[in-house]
Amino acid sequence: MTRSLLTKTSTRKQFLATLALLATGLATPAFAQGDYPNKPIKLVVPFSPGGNTDLIARMLAQGLGEQLGQPVIVENLAGANGSIGASRVAGSPNDGYTLLFGTAGTQAINQSLYRNLGEKNLSDYEYIALVTSIPNVLVVNESKTPVRTVADFVAAERKRGAGLSYGSPGTGSTVHLSGELFKTATKLDLLHVPYKGSAPALTDLMGGQIDFIFENVTPALPFVQSGKLRALAVTSAERLPALPNVPTMKESGYPDFVTATWNGVLAPKGTAPAVQKKLQDAVLKVAGSPDFKTRVGALGGEVRLMDTNAFRSFAHAEYQHWGTIIKNAGVTVQ
């Protein structure tokens, strides 16, 4: 009888010890065990395939997969100037397996453009790292517009007196808002013509249906290089290696005219610091490589690296910058 009681007691202790070990394992997230990532990672691009954000995301994803030892799969979720894809990531589990390739649109412009977002949307994410900056370029029709400087362009249009039209790939894009900033700076009578993407806007510019575009450098560059479009100025702070003979807007007499779209990696709010650090280190290593810089440069962009803290501060400053432009222009989207 005593032996039976001892056996039951021993078995009970072993059972309780096993439960304790299981509870400890269940309570500890996988990334705390040092095995993150242990499955594929999804990098959401909140725009359609083929644009500069998508191209750079795929370049980055390839390198990240090699660095992290797991595939990084790009998923396109377009709509509402990037808000749909960005919101999907913000509502995803904060386990490091769903990331956003955010832009100036999703993290700085939409908050002022869409009334249902607001500044609080900025705090829905962890800012992993800033990767690239792609400025805009003021382009005109080579055969229709004989001027070669911004000053001559503005003077000619003031003399003509007729309204100018400019295109963009959509309301609220950096292309559109650069046009609005130009309108404010020059006091010219400008009409915005939104298109469904850069391709139809550039086609109409070459066809003479519109007068100019402050297009992202990436889609405009081939047409400038082929001579179909003339570049008058870029909106970067310094001249671009891809267009070394094209002055900046600052050099052209507009010292505060610096605009660009940018790309960075973000994660849902509450992602573990250890996961953030691992992602940050991998992103900075891949984007800082000579090969990545060369490939981005060929697109007309610049690698612009920032770590978590710098990226967060930068995004908030950009929110203020673009918000001022939107307010001055009176641009709203319901």
Side-chain angles (χ1 to χ4, degrees), residues 49-71:
N52 52 23
T53 297
D54 179 66
L55 292 173
I56 295 172
R58 293 179 187 279
M59 288 161 47
L60 183 68
Q62 180 182 2
L64 287 180
E66 296 169 359
Q67 285 293 315
L68 297 171
Q70 289 289 341

Side-chain angles (χ1 to χ4, degrees), residues 140 144-154 156-157 230 232:
V140 296
K144 180 182 177 183
T145 308
V147 298
R148 296 187 176 275
T149 69
V150 177
D152 288 345
F153 180 63
V154 172
E157 297 311 321
R230 181 184 300 122
L232 300 184

Side-chain angles (χ1 to χ4, degrees), residues 242-283:
L243 294 168
N245 297 321
V246 179
T248 65
M249 286 296 291
K250 292 173 67 174
E251 291 176 299
S252 303
Y254 299 89
D256 298 324
F257 205 118
V258 178
T259 64
T261 190
W262 41 262
N263 303 116
V265 177
L266 302 100
K269 187 70 176 178
T271 300
V275 172
Q276 292 187 53
K277 181 64 166 59
K278 192 163 189 177
L279 287 169
Q280 174 196 267
D281 292 348
V283 170

Side-chain angles (χ1 to χ4, degrees), residues 121-256:
N121 175 257
L122 293 170
S123 62
D124 290 341
Y125 307 89
E126 303 293 352
Y127 291 75
I128 304 301
L130 183 68
V131 178
T132 59
S133 175
I134 299 181
N136 299 322
V137 56
L138 170 56
V139 287
V140 296
N141 185 306
E142 172 72 24
S143 59
K144 180 182 177 183
T145 308
V147 298
R148 296 187 176 275
T149 69
V150 177
D152 288 345
F153 180 63
V154 172
E157 297 311 321
R158 282 181 176 155
K159 185 177 181 180
R160 189 175 72 163
L164 280 173
S165 60
Y166 73 96
S168 83
T171 300
S173 62
T174 63
V175 177
H176 167 215
L177 297 178
S178 293
E180 292 296 329
L181 182 58
F182 190 59
K183 180 179 181 180
T184 300
T186 61
K187 304 297 190 295
L188 288 173
D189 179 20
L190 303 180
L191 172 66
H192 173 226
V193 182
Y195 290 82
K196 292 183 178 180
S198 294
L202 289 168
T203 298
D204 271 9
L205 177 61
M206 288 182 285
Q209 281 73 44
I210 54 177
D211 296 296
F212 71 95
I213 303 179
F214 272 97
E215 184 56 90
N216 290 154
V217 172
T218 304
L221 187 59
F223 299 105
V224 173
Q225 292 172 333
S226 68
K228 294 180 179 179
L229 296 177
R230 181 184 300 122
L232 300 184
V234 292
T235 65
S236 50
E238 306 291 339
R239 293 196 183 197
L240 298 177
L243 294 168
N245 297 321
V246 179
T248 65
M249 286 296 291
K250 292 173 67 174
E251 291 176 299
S252 303
Y254 299 89
D256 298 324

